[in-house]
Amino acid sequence: MSHAPYGSWPSPIDAALVAAHDGRPEALGAVGDEVWWTAPRPAEGGRRALLRLRPDARSPEVVLPPPWNVRNSVHEYGGQPWAGVARGEGGPLVVFTDFGDQRLYAVEPDAPGGAAPRPLTPLSPVGAGLRWCDPVLLPERGEVWCVLEEFTGPNPTDLRRLLAAVPLDGSAAEDRSAVRELTDDRRRFVTGPRLAPDGRRVAWLAWDHPGMPWEGTEVLLADLDQAGRLGAPRTLLGGPDESVAQVEWAPDGALLALTDRAGWWQPHRVDPETGEAVNLCPREEEFADALWKVGARWLAPLPHGTLAVLHGTGDLRLGVLDPASGELADVPGPWTEWWPALAVRGQRVVGIAAGPTRHYEVVALDTVTGHCRVLAEHHRDPVDPGYLPAPEARVFTGPDGREVHAQVYPPRHPDHPGPAETAPPFVVWAHGGPTGRAPLVLDLEIAYFTSRGIGVAEVNYGGSTGYGRAYRERLRGRWGVVDVEDCATVARALVAEGSAAAGRLAIRGGSAGGYTTAASLSAAETADLYAAGTISYPLLDLAGWTADGTHDFESRYLESLLGPLAEVPERYRERSPVHRAERITAPFVLLQGLDDPICRPEQAERLLAAVAGRGVPHAYLTFEGEGHGFRRAATIERALEAELALYAHAFGFARADLKPLDLAAGRERW
């Protein structure tokens, strides 16, 4: 055993290995007896491939070759990008959105000669065009119903959203007028339609500015006539202070809703006539999460009356709920975190699951036998497990005695325990959102640092999901305060208990986490706490991140996080890192995608201008073709290597394998 300095340990987990394993399977669904999903392909330009697993196959097939990219940009974060149905002859019919042009396509992969995808929707010359998500295939009507996001002008807020029916015969591929509008556009945001089992009603979710879906949504219900026309919708459930995250129909015609009316997202049975809601499992746990992507599915009805649900406090595990008794039975296995993409076929539930020692896999539960097995995306340790971290979920005490949740990943290496009687450096990770959370799952990006002797602490600061509405609302009006304090609480506690070295702390984050990082480096109370910071695709000038300064979905998000700009303009200025950059003394790396429509490069440029000439060591790396978050292998590799080089400078360790990084206001364009 060698007591080499922290940070200098050799590791088989290099940046290329991290990039190759970046991302997770998503958008899982059943097509007849087959399971389909999308999977990341960092080495193929960061596209998402569409995969299918036949009932007796040992491995999945890639349905569409490069450059097909099964994603969309609805809300800029995207929504459910595909749907499919099994047919008696000719194999499945599948519709999907392609990221390249945002059009909706149909494909029949088993057709003779492997028919190429054919477009169903047109291009638009206006603004960012026509976008589609959360489709429902109705071949008996000759249509696919979905959410339409249509730009009406050049600005990011010049748009309308509604439910629309697209003909499957391709007649709308060059003719926008052939798209049938099912609803009007009076509601700013809508989710995809959910048809009742008898085909006579349709339910969906809606909300409006300035609310976000985790603050307040409504369940809308409309009658459906034989011609496929929707009647006037009525609000059945929800409101500005009640968030309904998902709505589904039970086989018996009752409506199921995941609502937080009792302070937690919990499953309710709703009478479609009266709106009377009965809580099916009043545990103080979350059965849903923030609705960042339209089409997320935390609940799925089973044919025998029980419900497959995801639930937990700080995590989401799969269970089967008996709505009559309220009994909830968790599935066996090592999976402690399930992605909201449940699919049901007969008595089988299929989902995407991970755990502290396993990456995300496609897992099937037989509800009759209770047996779980991995179907695809099997976990295989990419290196000796001795190099992988052994995390611990912790609860710290913050200001005013409040709880602060975090996951702590101490350094770990099979041959290097670290120098005797010394503590390692630590990096505090602030997640994005900020209404979101960091799940406790195996992440090679974390292992990249812990296997080299640098600890990581992921902080689920006040405002995070997973711990009830009250915890989530701690951030209302206090963004830039609570999140900064909670990250500092964890950092200081780790130092006080001897787990982390004083003076050798850093902080990093992307998007809203990038803001928290920059805010922490520029706050009077915490500017001296951190020796370095990694700021990725951030927002830094808060007043400039409103209205057309960002995308429509979050253009009024700050009204809850800070307050209305017209009422508290001083708050926007005081909490903007660009307006207090004189306090920043720690070296930092700024990472930015040049095609980011959410946190645009101009935000990063404003911070660079504010620190120019002040002697603060920093580097600015930009990446062409990258948006909000990095998907391409080369980008992920360079970003990681730059971050490690920053920590080597700040923490004072040497490595022979470090790639050069110019911290004298250096700029790199990739």
Side-chain angles (χ1 to χ4, degrees), residues 580-604:
R580 59 190 199 196
E582 72 281 355
R583 295 199 191 114
I584 298 178
T585 58
F588 65 89
V589 169
L590 186 53
L591 307 170
Q592 179 68 50
L594 293 177
D595 293 343
D596 189 342
I598 299 171
C599 294
R600 301 173 192 162
E602 64 198 48
Q603 288 275 331

Side-chain angles (χ1 to χ4, degrees), residues 277-298:
V278 177
N279 195 332
L280 300 178
C281 194
R283 295 187 181 196
E284 290 195 344
E285 295 183 4
E286 298 285 35
F287 287 76
D289 212 308
L291 185 63
W292 281 100
K293 292 190 174 185
V294 175
R297 201 176 193 205
W298 297 271

